[in-house]
Amino acid sequence: MNGGTEGRETVGADATTDATSDGADATTDTTGTTGTTANGTDATTDTSDTTGTTTNGTDATTDTTGTTGTTTNGTDATTDTTDARTDRTDATTDAAVRNRPAHSASARPSPSGSGTGWRTPAHAARTRPAHSAPTRPPRSVRARPGPPARVPRRAAPRRLLLLCLALALAVTALPGCGGPTGTQRGVTILAPWTEEEAAAFEALLDQFTDRTGIEVNYQGTPAQREVLLSEVQAGTAPDLAVIPGPGELADYARNRDLIPLDGIADPGEYDEPWLARPAGEEHTYWLPVKADLKSIVWHEKGAQPERFADDPARWCVGMGADAIWGWPGSDWIEDILLQQSGTDVYEKWVTGKLPWTSPEVRRAWTTWGGFLTPDGARRALLTDYRGPDGGDGLLFDPDADCDLEHQGSFARVHIYHDRADETDFELSSEILPRARSSARHREVSGDYVAMFQDSDEGRQLMAFLVSADTQRTWAESSRTPVFSANSRVTPASYGDEVDRRIARELREADALCLDASDAMPPPVRNVFHQKILEYLADPGDVDTVLEDLQRLQDSLDPAETSWLSSVCG
């Protein structure tokens, strides 16, 4: 998955875990459904991506097809999962994950891809304090979910500009009056960043408004996937939205919810695969605003990782997350396949052209399962990938007693927190089991901005966000690393040597390939994560797991399923 925002995973309509509101019990099965119980209200999500809404708040059933059904009497709205659902149960997985530890709410995202499992209260958003002269009111952030209020972010421009505009109503505009000379609409942008990440992003928006006079209403929520889906279905989509999954955006493009963005980004600044398109499409529908490197293994500075690489007990592995259990395992399998079999095989698999049952894909699964051992697999099922609440990740957890961790570049801030400066990394090709050390292929994830409401003001903001100058400013000014897919943002923009090494890999690798589960159609992605848990519960049954995945994929209606044309470049 898209971390960090790798690629990061959000609590949203595609969640695949049943959870009770007090965190004391959670059961995961292979149907890809999510049920959440809170104060007597039930919400059920399956892998078909359809949202059903009940008007009195009793029951709501959501999946991922982008279709809405409404029940007016508040009794029940339910949607079947895909025809590919098998009769096979996952009692062993249920038993393994039922007693996972509960976590309190704190601002930690799971990637995203991802980036998707933030430990932040739902719909949390940051409101900035007013600035000193010139006086500006705090940025307006509305409650979630709801229709996008077009509320200005700041006060009107300065007094001289107001005077010029007033005179211009009666006479020709006076020379020397700067700023906008006509009515400009504001722009609303929905994104997953809150707290410190939101502060850095809002600073960029302030710069944009200072240059253009265009007001921006920033709406930050870790549940941006479900919020966006509900607003699109209600006809109240924001102007722009940031999503970590290009596979999800391809669905919006197929439904004609997205505005083509041709000509907004300088093609000389973005290499493949960052401008990937849906298969059969000639237009660009999304642009990367952040990037993360996935093909890395973290360890403490000064450690000798080669000493531990062959010992499964020395690896930190956890599948637990607030909403989407299993995505850390998909990162393992994706990276192993890329390092073992190369970019051609990887791309065919991610774009739906190579079966799940192929020898190459099967080998990646068995390599990972065989390496973990049965005891390691069971331990991974019961472990949260973030480590204990209030800690600094599994790598620094004395009880975990591990030395190596396969995680994306977002982990340094979002997992290791105050001990980030004590971390270093190795490239996964040099340390993963049965990988080719000579391989120069890297898995990556990103956060992508797309346009849902067309306007000149929105296009100006879009062009501003993806420009080399803005990307460089963001990288240099943010207290948390913001890696860029823009080829003109050099490693010198990063103040820390570890961050500069990550930036160099994003620039200098022989090939970059998008996170597979982020790029797949949402129904396939959801069941992929589910089958990770099932496989760990019974590593000897890999053939049934892969056959189930292929059966699901074959059952999808090609007219209703969007694959990307390419994911490597």
Side-chain angles (χ1 to χ4, degrees):
M1 296 297 297
N2 161 12
T5 99
E6 93 72 167
R8 49 193 138 196
E9 304 294 346
T10 61
V11 180
D14 55 340
T16 54
T17 305
D18 292 352
T20 55
S21 59
D22 63 0
D25 188 308
T27 306
T28 302
D29 63 26
T30 61
T31 64
T33 63
T34 300
T36 305
T37 303
N39 300 324
T41 301
D42 291 337
T44 306
T45 304
D46 67 22
T47 60
S48 63
D49 248 10
T50 302
T51 301
T53 305
T54 304
T55 58
N56 70 355
T58 303
D59 285 331
T61 303
T62 306
D63 61 17
T64 52
T65 63
T67 308
T68 302
T70 304
T71 303
T72 59
N73 62 3
T75 303
D76 186 58
T78 56
T79 304
D80 282 334
T81 187
T82 171
D83 292 337
R85 178 179 295 171
T86 66
D87 293 329
R88 188 167 182 265
T89 63
D90 58 341
T92 44
T93 304
D94 288 348
V97 303
R98 183 179 300 277
N99 295 317
R100 72 177 186 270
H103 289 273
S104 61
S106 60
R108 295 191 187 181
S110 52
S112 157
S114 279
T116 184
W118 295 61
R119 283 196 260 179
T120 303
H123 316 315
R126 176 182 178 274
T127 302
R128 302 176 67 199
H131 297 281
S132 56
T135 301
R136 297 179 182 176
R139 186 184 305 279
S140 172
V141 181
R142 60 183 169 82
R144 285 297 187 174
R150 306 289 183 179
V151 182
R153 185 165 52 92
R154 308 188 305 173
R158 295 174 175 80
R159 184 173 301 173
L160 175 60
L161 177 57
L162 290 175
L163 177 60
C164 293
L165 290 174
L167 291 173
L169 294 175
V171 296
T172 305
L174 297 177
C177 292
T181 59
T183 301
Q184 297 191 92
R185 70 190 290 273
V187 179
T188 298
I189 181 169
L190 173 69
W193 307 307
T194 60
E195 303 298 333
E196 197 167 353
E197 285 185 305
F201 185 63
E202 288 178 296
L204 295 179
L205 300 182
D206 282 338
Q207 294 180 26
F208 173 75
T209 300
D210 288 340
R211 295 182 189 181
T212 65
I214 300 171
E215 304 293 345
V216 182
N217 175 29
Y218 175 65
Q219 302 167 350
T221 171
Q224 88 279 18
R225 276 177 169 159
E226 62 182 357
V227 170
L228 178 61
L229 179 62
S230 67
E231 292 189 347
V232 169
Q233 292 173 343
T236 59
D239 297 295
L240 309 179
V242 178
I243 290 289
E248 213 160 337
L249 288 169
D251 266 0
Y252 283 117
R254 175 177 52 80
N255 292 331
R256 297 296 180 251
D257 294 316
L258 300 185
I259 308 299
L261 304 176
D262 306 313
I264 289 183
D266 183 341
E269 295 181 356
Y270 289 94
D271 304 320
E272 296 297 334
W274 299 113
L275 300 181
R277 298 180 175 91
E281 283 283 356
E282 297 179 356
H283 299 294
T284 297
Y285 286 98
W286 54 82
L287 298 170
V289 290
K290 286 182 66 177
D292 274 299
L293 181 64
K294 288 286 194 85
S295 294
I296 53 180
V297 175
W298 292 100
H299 58 82
E300 289 190 58
K301 281 186 177 178
Q304 297 177 306
E306 63 277 1
R307 291 173 49 202
F308 315 114
D310 295 331
D311 183 356
R314 310 312 302 169
W315 286 79
C316 312
V317 184
M319 296 295 109
D322 287 336
I324 304 177
W325 285 57
W327 69 259
S330 69
D331 282 358
W332 269 87
I333 289 171
E334 292 161 9
D335 203 10
I336 289 174
L337 178 65
L338 179 61
Q339 305 308 330
Q340 286 183 341
S341 301
T343 57
D344 289 344
V345 168
Y346 184 91
E347 183 164 76
K348 289 177 181 177
W349 172 58
V350 180
T351 57
K353 300 179 180 69
L354 183 71
W356 288 86
T357 53
S358 68
E360 297 91 342
V361 176
R362 187 183 188 280
R363 181 186 177 207
W365 282 73
T366 56
T367 295
W368 184 52
F371 177 72
L372 284 180
T373 73
D375 286 344
R378 283 191 292 272
R379 186 166 57 249
L381 281 172
L382 297 171
T383 302
D384 192 298
Y385 82 95
R386 297 158 297 191
D389 261 354
D392 297 303
L394 293 173
L395 195 61
F396 296 100
D397 178 18
D399 293 333
D401 191 26
C402 54
D403 302 282
L404 301 171
E405 186 164 24
H406 183 263
Q407 281 287 4
S409 54
F410 55 81
R412 202 164 185 234
V413 170
H414 294 307
I415 297 178
Y416 304 137
H417 303 295
D418 294 337
R419 303 189 70 171
D421 290 341
E422 302 175 40
T423 58
D424 203 347
F425 71 89
E426 302 296 323
L427 296 171
S428 60
S429 58
E430 299 173 359
I431 201 166
L432 285 185
R434 300 186 188 176
R436 296 177 299 166
S437 60
S438 60
R440 294 277 301 157
H441 316 312
R442 308 289 176 244
E443 184 182 5
V444 295
S445 63
D447 289 333
Y448 302 87
V449 62
M451 178 176 284
F452 288 80
Q453 305 284 351
D454 198 3
S455 70
D456 180 65
E457 293 84 355
R459 289 177 178 274
Q460 289 184 57
L461 178 56
M462 182 84 75
F464 170 82
L465 290 175
V466 300
S467 69
D469 286 344
T470 300
Q471 290 281 301
R472 191 178 299 110
T473 298
W474 200 1
E476 292 172 350
S477 62
S478 177
R479 292 181 58 189
T480 60
V482 177
F483 299 106
S484 177
N486 191 302
S487 60
R488 294 181 184 172
V489 180
T490 66
S493 298
Y494 300 90
D496 178 273
E497 177 56 30
V498 172
D499 292 341
R500 286 194 291 270
R501 286 177 57 210
I502 291 171
R504 277 195 292 272
E505 286 300 321
L506 290 171
R507 298 280 82 78
E508 299 172 5
D510 289 346
L512 300 179
C513 293
L514 299 180
D515 180 291
S517 56
D518 284 351
M520 291 174 175
V524 179
R525 173 197 63 199
N526 294 345
V527 178
F528 183 12
H529 293 155
Q530 230 17 64
K531 291 299 181 180
I532 291 288
L533 304 178
E534 185 176 321
Y535 177 59
L536 290 178
D538 186 6
D541 202 12
V542 65
D543 291 322
T544 300
V545 166
L546 297 178
E547 288 166 4
D548 286 350
L549 280 161
Q550 189 59 43
R551 190 178 299 113
L552 164 73
Q553 187 164 303
D554 291 342
S555 74
L556 299 177
D557 182 353
E560 298 295 327
T561 307
S562 299
W563 296 87
L564 300 187
S565 59
S566 175
V567 298
C568 294

